[in-house]
Amino acid sequence: MKRAAGLCVIAGAILAGATCQSNAASLNTMDDVGAAIQACWTPPADAGNSTVTLSFSFKRNGTLIGPPRPAAINVTGDAKARQSFVDAAIAAVEDCLPLSFSPALAQGIAGNVFTLQFSSPKQ
């Protein structure tokens, strides 16, 4: 299921929302990639004022090299709330895959580590 947009940060740049791009036209820029992933993000309903930053790398074909990994977690609530928030962020990335990169973007994106921050409440 595609999810609504939230606040994302990819490679240190704050990106603006759009619709999920996984089955749409090729993504040409990192802004396009960020917007596509943002469109898949829905924070848990009871997340309060929370954030999680994931790090991950893409293959040229728009899939991930490995699973997204939490790099920073600041979640309101107990361990169950923390895990729910992290799981929702990981699901947002995975639900958008595979992404469709333009040939030029695919050439430069493969293997680079990116960070993506998911926030609640939605911005």
Side-chain angles (χ1 to χ4, degrees):
M1 171 187 268
K2 301 301 176 197
R3 298 174 187 228
L7 175 66
C8 287
V9 178
I10 286 189
I14 297 177
L15 304 170
T19 60
C20 245
Q21 299 286 323
S22 60
N23 296 318
S26 291
L27 304 171
N28 296 307
T29 67
M30 285 312 300
D31 285 348
D32 294 344
V33 173
I37 294 173
Q38 281 187 58
C40 296
W41 168 236
T42 300
D46 59 350
N49 188 17
S50 301
T51 63
V52 65
T53 301
L54 300 179
S55 64
F56 52 90
S57 298
F58 289 106
K59 296 177 186 177
R60 289 184 178 138
N61 68 1
T63 61
L64 296 177
I65 289 175
R69 297 177 188 254
I73 302 170
N74 182 10
V75 176
T76 303
D78 60 11
K80 183 177 176 183
R82 179 180 188 263
Q83 190 62 52
S84 175
F85 197 88
V86 171
D87 289 347
I90 291 170
V93 175
E94 292 174 345
D95 287 350
C96 279
L97 300 178
L99 294 175
S100 178
F101 301 138
S102 68
L105 185 59
Q107 187 68 26
I109 202 169
N112 290 312
V113 177
F114 296 96
T115 59
L116 179 71
Q117 186 181 57
F118 296 88
S119 298
S120 180
K122 294 190 327 186
Q123 305 290 314

